[in-house]
Amino acid sequence: MENRKEDRKSQIIDLTLHLIQEKGYVAFSYDDLAKKLGVTKASIHYHFEKKEDLGIAVCNRLEQQLKDMFYTMTHTYVDLEKKLHFYVTKKAERIKENEICLISALQKDYESLPAHLQEKLASLSRMELTYMIDLFQEAKAKGLLKETVDPVAVAAIFLSCVKGALQYKRVMGNDLAPKMFNQLKDLLLQSQ
């Protein structure tokens, strides 16, 4: 019985992730979830009393995904280029047609989120940025980046470019991520 409850909870979170990517946090409702899952709204409320509770569960899932992705990235690849390529590829894999980055989708609705969910999203955003800053700081310490590169600014630029390229793909169908990646690589990395 407990396993079925956890399965249903996971199904709700999975569907919520999809709806947030597609519509945004503010635009989806428990009614949307209930219809797509073929259950009553009361069933959704049983697992997540308030939409904010569901939003926190989504952020917790995103946090674990980020930790897993960055762990794999930093423990599988040695060179910066491969680490960054892994990040871009993983982000693109998680984005389906008409969807956007989940963190970006939540950031878009930031002002409309309850305070507790805003705090969780801010923490998640800092985590993602910090992982990237650490990556670029390590690369700079190894002499892989041009001397003038500021790891903090470049981390923010890199994340913004990746997410922006994914937005353009959503609207125009053009996958700008490979071009963006190659151009940034040329601008940042020391020539070998």
Side-chain angles (χ1 to χ4, degrees), residues 30-95:
Y30 273 26
D31 192 48
D32 295 326
L33 290 168
K35 284 177 183 172
K36 289 194 182 256
L37 290 171
V39 299
T40 64
K41 284 195 294 186
S43 174
I44 308 291
H45 282 284
Y46 173 78
H47 295 286
F48 300 99
E49 186 179 339
K50 300 178 295 197
K51 189 174 178 183
E52 179 181 358
D53 299 331
L54 180 54
I56 296 296
V58 163
C59 286
N60 289 338
R61 170 85 61 89
L62 291 175
E63 181 178 2
Q64 190 57 54
Q65 288 175 350
L66 264 181
K67 286 177 180 178
D68 293 346
M69 182 172 61
F70 278 96
Y71 180 85
T72 300
M73 188 170 85
T74 55
H75 288 82
T76 304
Y77 302 103
V78 175
D79 86 11
L80 177 67
E81 183 178 341
K82 286 187 175 133
K83 288 177 182 179
L84 296 177
H85 186 267
F86 175 81
Y87 177 82
V88 171
T89 303
K90 281 296 175 195
K91 275 290 186 194
E93 282 175 5
R94 290 194 173 143
I95 309 295

Side-chain angles (χ1 to χ4, degrees), residues 92-119:
E93 282 175 5
R94 290 194 173 143
I95 309 295
K96 296 180 182 82
E97 194 174 320
N98 292 327
E99 294 180 342
I100 61 174
C101 166
L102 272 158
I103 294 173
S104 297
L106 288 166
Q107 289 168 333
K108 173 189 76 70
D109 291 336
Y110 183 78
E111 294 300 322
S112 302
L113 301 177
H116 189 60
L117 190 50
Q118 283 181 343
E119 292 167 17

Side-chain angles (χ1 to χ4, degrees), residues 16-28:
T16 301
L17 291 166
H18 172 72
L19 289 174
I20 290 171
Q21 282 180 291
E22 190 178 81
K23 297 177 161 193
Y25 178 84
V26 174
F28 89 90

Side-chain angles (χ1 to χ4, degrees), residues 146-159:
K146 294 180 179 176
E147 196 57 40
T148 56
V149 169
D150 172 6
V152 175
V154 168
I157 290 168
F158 182 78
L159 287 172

